[in-house]
Amino acid sequence: MTFKEKGLLIVLSGPSGVGKGTVCKALRQSGTNLQYSISVTTRAPREGEIDGIHYYFKSRDEFQHMIREKKLLEWAEYVGNYYGTPIDYVRQTLDEGKDVILEIEVQGFFQVKERFPEGIFIFLAPPSLQELKKRITGRGTETAELIQNRLTVAKSEIDLMKHYDYVVENDEVHAACERIESIVTAEHCKRERIIEKYKKLSEVDK
Amino acid sequence: MTFKEKGLLIVLSGPSGVGKGTVCKALRQSGTNLQYSISVTTRAPREGEIDGIHYYFKSRDEFQHMIREKKLLEWAEYVGNYYGTPIDYVRQTLDEGKDVILEIEVQGFFQVKERFPEGIFIFLAPPSLQELKKRITGRGTETAELIQNRLTVAKSEIDLMKHYDYVVENDEVHAACERIESIVTAEHCKRERIIEKYKKLSEVDK
């Protein structure tokens, strides 16, 4: 009998335009061990797109059936088409001991959090937030209105990020990737995970 | 007015002989930004040891005064000499925004945890634990007694590690250092720390 440590589900989200796709692509190219889930969609394949590689292409009926059967970790409708994450692929990959990274829009957060509370939720923050300090405490040449607008944006982003486990500032893609990889490594070192592993090992010969 | 993020206190401990000193030395050489605290001791300086660099050398009276004044984060007596960690240096370095790493024996854990609960506590585990799985689930050539002894050791180590935040297996010094550095990076990305920072920034112009 052997004991296999389960993989972690890493959920990367953040405001539209923050660079989630770019960061995910860079992570994929950096040779990290993270697995990417393949989305299901009802939109037509574009030239060169292959079913089961770029997307799982389904009819609207098939997609709605997946929704009803709770076969999707999250799903949304954009411009008349459905997009979603098949839960079976995720569970199977985690059971194989591999970590899975999932890139979602902020709207999908609560769906995934509800169905997979043990996921690691990372909020990718725009570099403007990082520069907030410089801007606010800058040379005092900004108008009060401009400063107020920036604070309002910052506060609405704090409201979004407060549900997440980690916040990674996307000041530079390479730096953001390194932080995400560090989070994955650190999560694997968490005491409760390691103890769980040892406890299971110690029970092997009972 | 500027806001400076406080540094983190990283406390590295683990069973005697696990290699805490070797890992700390390797971290120091890897050019990481971790600051090392200088210990206070009542033992006589050895050849080449300089006061304020290798140790702060104090008399027993001075040391006992520091204990009474709660100027030590932790302290212990070994072979007739006192050894301890001066709290002022640690607080001052953290206030400067620098992370401090502290290497302590497992006996010092509760002292530090009580005086500095916001510290990040890392248990350095011996490689034998890592090999437990292989050993237990091995070829079945081990005697029942030997397996039982190993399980007893493993269980007593689980008892020690259950108070810590992270467990890093010291299978290889370089790998252990990388995990510790990842933990520090990840801790800086924790949502509560980042939000705290932004909240303070947003209050600047009030």
Side-chain angles (χ1 to χ4, degrees):
Chain A
M1 184 177 155
T2 54
F3 169 68
K4 193 172 257 166
E5 194 187 347
K6 267 187 121 181
L8 302 174
L9 177 64
I10 312 295
V11 184
L12 186 69
S13 193
S16 175
V18 73
K20 297 185 285 293
T22 312
V23 166
C24 269
K25 197 174 159 197
L27 276 171
R28 199 187 298 235
Q29 285 167 349
S30 76
T32 161
N33 275 324
L34 293 168
Q35 303 293 310
Y36 296 80
S37 84
I38 302 166
S39 296
V40 188
T41 183
T42 58
R43 79 154 166 74
R46 292 185 191 136
E47 208 182 312
E49 284 183 344
I50 300 158
D51 185 57
I53 290 181
H54 300 95
Y55 282 98
Y56 294 112
F57 296 101
K58 302 278 182 191
S59 70
R60 289 185 74 87
D61 274 358
E62 287 171 322
F63 198 100
Q64 283 160 350
H65 182 74
M66 289 182 88
I67 296 174
R68 283 194 303 272
E69 296 290 310
K70 299 194 190 303
K71 289 285 186 195
L72 296 167
L73 198 49
E74 53 87 39
W75 63 273
E77 200 171 0
Y78 298 108
V79 219
N81 288 307
Y82 287 124
Y83 294 83
T85 304
I87 203 162
D88 287 350
Y89 170 84
V90 171
R91 291 210 182 277
Q92 183 186 322
T93 312
L94 296 176
D95 285 346
E96 286 168 10
K98 294 173 192 159
D99 301 324
V100 175
I101 189 162
L102 185 62
E103 177 201 336
I104 60 165
E105 300 302 320
V106 286
Q107 297 89 320
F109 172 82
F110 290 104
Q111 286 184 58
V112 181
K113 183 78 183 172
E114 193 193 323
R115 283 172 213 183
F116 221 99
E118 68 272 39
I120 315 297
F121 294 84
I122 303 177
F123 184 91
L124 195 66
S128 60
L129 267 183
Q130 166 128 19
E131 285 164 19
L132 191 65
K133 180 183 164 184
K134 272 190 244 162
R135 290 174 170 194
I136 295 173
T137 61
R139 294 199 209 88
T141 54
E142 310 282 31
T143 66
E145 194 190 1
L146 199 59
I147 290 175
Q148 200 48 55
N149 283 349
R150 284 171 185 163
L151 289 173
T152 306
V153 169
K155 280 172 185 164
S156 71
E157 273 164 351
I158 289 172
D159 269 351
L160 280 176
M161 68 172 76
K162 71 183 175 200
H163 303 289
Y164 289 74
D165 300 305
Y166 296 96
V167 178
V168 165
E169 293 172 73
N170 190 17
D171 46 348
E172 197 270 311
V173 174
H174 180 69
C177 288
E178 283 199 341
R179 286 179 205 127
I180 293 168
E181 288 170 14
S182 288
I183 290 167
V184 177
T185 301
E187 283 287 335
H188 277 289
C189 291
K190 278 212 171 157
R191 178 249 305 146
E192 56 270 29
R193 287 209 176 84
I194 307 260
I195 286 198
E196 192 58 29
K197 187 164 73 169
Y198 286 130
K199 277 194 178 152
K200 290 201 176 162
L201 291 176
S202 317
E203 284 161 6
V204 165
D205 78 331
K206 268 183 190 163
Chain B
M1 183 176 155
T2 53
F3 168 69
K4 193 172 256 167
E5 196 187 346
K6 268 186 119 183
L8 302 174
L9 177 65
I10 312 296
V11 184
L12 186 69
S13 194
S16 176
V18 74
K20 296 186 286 293
T22 311
V23 167
C24 269
K25 198 174 158 195
L27 276 170
R28 200 188 297 236
Q29 286 167 349
S30 77
T32 160
N33 275 323
L34 294 168
Q35 303 292 312
Y36 295 81
S37 84
I38 303 167
S39 295
V40 188
T41 183
T42 58
R43 79 153 165 75
R46 291 183 192 139
E47 209 183 310
E49 283 184 346
I50 301 158
D51 186 56
I53 290 182
H54 299 96
Y55 282 97
Y56 295 113
F57 295 102
K58 303 278 182 191
S59 70
R60 289 185 73 87
D61 273 359
E62 287 171 322
F63 198 99
Q64 282 161 350
H65 182 75
M66 289 182 87
I67 296 173
R68 283 193 305 272
E69 296 290 310
K70 300 195 192 301
K71 290 287 187 192
L72 296 168
L73 198 50
E74 53 88 39
W75 64 273
E77 199 172 1
Y78 297 109
V79 219
N81 289 306
Y82 286 125
Y83 294 83
T85 303
I87 202 163
D88 287 349
Y89 170 84
V90 170
R91 291 210 182 277
Q92 184 187 320
T93 312
L94 297 176
D95 285 346
E96 286 168 10
K98 294 172 192 158
D99 300 325
V100 175
I101 189 162
L102 186 62
E103 177 200 336
I104 61 166
E105 300 302 320
V106 286
Q107 297 90 321
F109 171 82
F110 290 103
Q111 286 183 60
V112 181
K113 184 77 182 172
E114 194 193 323
R115 284 173 211 182
F116 222 97
E118 68 271 40
I120 315 299
F121 294 84
I122 303 177
F123 184 91
L124 195 66
S128 61
L129 267 183
Q130 167 127 19
E131 285 164 19
L132 192 64
K133 181 184 164 184
K134 271 190 244 163
R135 290 174 171 193
I136 295 173
T137 61
R139 294 198 208 88
T141 55
E142 310 282 31
T143 66
E145 194 190 1
L146 199 60
I147 290 175
Q148 200 50 55
N149 282 349
R150 285 172 184 162
L151 288 173
T152 306
V153 169
K155 279 173 185 163
S156 72
E157 273 165 350
I158 289 172
D159 270 351
L160 280 175
M161 68 172 76
K162 73 182 175 201
H163 303 288
Y164 289 74
D165 301 305
Y166 296 96
V167 178
V168 165
E169 293 171 73
N170 190 17
D171 47 347
E172 196 271 310
V173 175
H174 180 68
C177 287
E178 282 197 342
R179 287 180 204 127
I180 292 167
E181 287 170 15
S182 288
I183 289 167
V184 177
T185 300
E187 283 286 335
H188 278 290
C189 293
K190 277 212 170 156
R191 178 249 306 146
E192 56 270 28
R193 288 209 174 83
I194 306 261
I195 286 198
E196 192 58 30
K197 187 163 77 169
Y198 286 130
K199 278 195 179 151
K200 290 201 176 162
L201 292 175
S202 317
E203 284 161 7
V204 165
D205 79 332
K206 269 183 190 162

